[in-house]
Amino acid sequence: MKIEPIKNWLQDAEKPLVISGPCSAESEDQVLKTAALLAETEKVDVFRAGIWKPRTRPNSFEGIGEDGLKWLQKVREQYGFKLAVEVANKNHVEACLKHSIDILWIGARTAANPFSVQEIADALQGVDIPVMVKNPINPDLQLWIGALERINQAGITKLAAIHRGFSLHEMSPYRNVPKWEIPIELKRLYPDLEIVCDPSHIAGKRELIPHLAQKAMDLDMFGLMIEAHCDPDNAWSDKAQQLTPSALKELLDQLVVREKASSNQQFTDQLSVLRQQIDLLDDDILEKLGKRMEIAIQIGEYKKANNVTVLQVNRWQEILSKRIEQGKGMNLRDVFVKKLLEIIHEESIRSQTNITSK
Ligand code: PEP
Ligand code: MN
């Protein structure tokens, strides 16, 4: 993908780029009031508002529609913010272009549907406008990349990604599980593509937002999209997760923004010593895993010769509980030890099954 650095298309874009505004535009008064309060914080670069809202259940507020775009234009005139709006189809794109919206974003439900993304991409052929693509609701990195590629292939190079968490049927304190490893992998694959974190939709409730925003900064994400409303408790959508502009200011004042690298020589030297130690330990771990797999293969052959099942559930149970207990004495969290063992066990089972099925 050919991606233009964000600094080329968002003047003075500095880390963190802050995109804020209400979940939905509700009335001219609500939009302008929220914008006025956000302008007072002097911390916001881009004003966001949902004009068409993809709601989970019908008969709830589905967005104000095109009228809201005129209110946004007033926001830009009065406060100088750039404007960002979610688009889900070609009509939305056309309406936004007609009203000179500065940035379009594709929502999580739309990003999950290649037909919709392609329709948007087709409507953007030959248009020069920045587009941000949220992760699809399901934790599928390829689908996220595919959506970015469709937009990129339409000629859009002013591109960024938005991480908003994933909708899973899983116990979690969050509305959408962050699965940080997915945006981290996206960053590894496309180092030029900046990622904006949307802690509001990850959190689902406002108390969890500051911690998530800090985590995004620690992971070197470029910006934050945080929902703010002049009267969050009476918002027409996503009320539990919207901040007041003053709470947003407090969050941003407390945010520690870290640099990618440091020019402090002592730090760089110290870091490289510690990294050498990590490299040696990784060598050890891999060597031991290799040996462990060899033994697992031997066991597989024995099992085959004696016609016993590959899965020995009692033994697996014993390993799990013993190692989890051991790990506690080494400051390793039980969830971590369990996940690690599950991956190792799965690979052993796979290689043993290969042997028995030969
Ligand atoms: C939104 O930003 O208000 C929104 C609908 O987000 P998402 O697509 O992440 O659910
Ligand atoms: Mn929302």
Side-chain angles (χ1 to χ4, degrees):
M1 279 192 279
K2 180 174 174 286
I3 297 156
E4 262 185 75
I6 209 161
K7 293 193 193 240
N8 290 4
W9 46 271
L10 259 182
Q11 263 174 5
D12 313 317
E14 278 201 26
K15 217 169 122 180
L17 170 78
V18 178
I19 305 173
S20 187
C23 178
S24 308
E26 299 163 6
S27 66
E28 182 169 336
D29 188 50
Q30 169 253 8
V31 166
L32 290 174
K33 212 172 189 170
T34 304
L37 294 169
L38 287 174
E40 270 175 37
T41 70
E42 297 183 354
K43 297 253 175 196
V44 175
D45 305 290
V46 179
F47 189 84
R48 62 147 282 154
I51 296 293
W52 304 278
K53 299 304 299 178
R55 306 308 298 276
T56 304
R57 306 280 298 271
N59 309 322
S60 39
F61 173 60
E62 302 210 297
I64 208 74
E66 227 175 299
D67 284 349
L69 295 172
K70 298 202 175 67
W71 310 335
L72 293 184
Q73 289 180 316
K74 289 194 183 167
V75 165
R76 184 171 48 205
E77 277 158 31
Q78 292 183 21
Y79 304 104
F81 292 127
K82 292 238 181 282
L83 304 173
V85 170
E86 173 178 349
V87 291
N89 61 37
K90 132 177 176 297
N91 297 339
H92 299 165
V93 172
E94 282 162 7
C96 284
L97 295 177
K98 196 169 93 195
H99 290 85
S100 316
I101 297 304
D102 303 287
I103 300 172
L104 306 180
W105 90 79
I106 297 182
R109 292 159 191 77
T110 309
N113 181 353
F115 288 136
S116 305
V117 177
Q118 193 58 52
E119 178 181 317
I120 294 168
D122 292 343
L124 286 171
Q125 276 290 346
V127 180
D128 182 25
I129 190 170
V131 178
M132 299 188 176
V133 181
K134 287 201 178 195
N135 65 257
I137 39 178
N138 48 325
D140 183 341
L141 177 59
Q142 291 308 315
L143 197 56
W144 194 2
I145 293 173
L148 287 156
E149 284 172 339
R150 283 177 197 277
I151 301 302
N152 195 232
Q153 283 178 14
I156 303 285
T157 51
K158 297 170 179 166
L159 209 55
I162 304 176
H163 168 232
R164 52 78 81 197
F166 303 90
S167 159
L168 290 180
H169 184 67
E170 184 177 285
M171 283 281 280
S172 164
Y174 303 114
R175 175 179 176 194
N176 291 293
V177 186
K179 293 205 164 285
W180 299 101
E181 68 277 14
I182 294 183
I184 289 173
E185 178 65 1
L186 182 67
K187 204 171 182 53
R188 189 183 71 80
L189 294 171
Y190 300 95
D192 297 340
L193 180 72
E194 297 291 0
I195 304 180
V196 170
C197 184
D198 171 351
S200 306
H201 288 88
I202 295 176
K205 36 184 174 307
R206 55 181 75 91
E207 306 77 61
L208 299 178
I209 296 174
H211 162 77
L212 290 165
Q214 184 59 54
K215 177 130 185 180
M217 291 298 99
D218 291 344
L219 294 179
D220 197 23
M221 293 192 182
F222 190 81
L224 295 167
M225 177 186 261
I226 300 181
E227 288 181 341
H229 190 292
C230 56
D231 180 10
D233 289 331
N234 290 305
W236 296 1
S237 59
D238 286 353
K239 62 172 143 190
Q241 71 188 33
Q242 300 206 59
L243 298 180
T244 58
S246 65
L248 176 76
K249 180 174 181 336
E250 195 182 320
L251 180 160
L252 295 169
D253 282 340
Q254 286 173 8
L255 202 66
V256 183
V257 181
R258 303 184 206 279
E259 294 308 317
K260 246 193 234 316
S262 163
S263 53
N264 177 341
Q265 192 58 43
Q266 208 186 345
F267 163 81
T268 344
D269 292 349
Q270 196 62 32
L271 187 66
S272 92
V273 170
L274 292 171
R275 282 182 172 164
Q276 280 168 17
Q277 293 179 24
I278 291 271
D279 288 345
L280 289 174
L281 289 167
D282 280 353
D283 287 350
D284 272 4
I285 293 173
L286 283 179
E287 216 173 279
K288 295 229 154 76
L289 280 176
K291 283 197 183 131
R292 194 187 191 284
M293 277 314 156
E294 277 173 24
I295 297 182
I297 288 171
Q298 280 182 37
I299 294 182
E301 276 152 5
Y302 272 131
K303 283 176 178 166
K304 185 177 184 186
N306 291 280
N307 203 27
V308 303
T309 55
V310 165
L311 178 65
Q312 297 283 320
V313 93
N314 291 344
R315 168 69 179 153
W316 171 227
Q317 179 57 49
E318 178 199 317
I319 290 185
L320 261 187
S321 40
K322 263 198 194 154
R323 307 288 188 267
I324 287 174
E325 215 34 55
Q326 253 176 302
K328 282 183 189 157
M330 304 174 186
N331 282 330
L332 296 173
R333 292 190 312 142
D334 51 3
V335 282
F336 169 68
V337 176
K338 182 160 183 271
K339 243 195 215 164
L340 181 66
L341 287 170
E342 278 169 353
I343 297 175
I344 296 173
H345 187 243
E346 193 183 310
E347 182 64 7
S348 294
I349 295 263
R350 190 196 59 78
S351 62
Q352 294 188 355
T353 316
N354 272 349
I355 293 168
T356 52
S357 62
K358 253 185 212 144

